[in-house]
Amino acid sequence: MAGDEPRDNVEDEAFLEAVRKTAYFLWEQDGRPDGRHDEYYLRALDQHRRERRFDEWLKDGPEG
């Protein structure tokens, strides 16, 4: 979905590294389940994209 993408549509290496670290953390917190790496990566990616959108919203101002 176009509305789900970050405004600048850029996911640089630092962003992707943060996603990987979050995915690993979530995976460890859940007891390191086998065969679910994609699930954890996608959860982390969604989390970071939402945080980025929220940060942009704050920067632009809640009013508009």
Side-chain angles (χ1 to χ4, degrees), residues 6-22:
R7 181 182 308 161
D8 59 2
N9 203 27
V10 173
E11 294 178 351
D12 60 16
E13 189 56 37
F15 176 85
L16 296 176
E17 180 64 19
V19 170
R20 287 189 287 270
K21 287 181 178 182
T22 299

Side-chain angles (χ1 to χ4, degrees), residues 17-29:
E17 180 64 19
V19 170
R20 287 189 287 270
K21 287 181 178 182
T22 299
Y24 185 80
F25 174 80
L26 294 171
W27 174 74
E28 280 200 327
Q29 291 297 302

Side-chain angles (χ1 to χ4, degrees), residues 15 18-31 33 36-51:
F15 176 85
V19 170
R20 287 189 287 270
K21 287 181 178 182
T22 299
Y24 185 80
F25 174 80
L26 294 171
W27 174 74
E28 280 200 327
Q29 291 297 302
D30 283 354
R36 294 175 53 195
H37 60 279
D38 288 342
E39 173 188 338
Y40 287 94
Y41 183 83
L42 292 174
R43 278 177 49 194
L45 182 60
D46 181 60
Q47 177 181 328
H48 281 272
R49 285 179 174 169
R50 288 173 187 265
E51 288 172 1

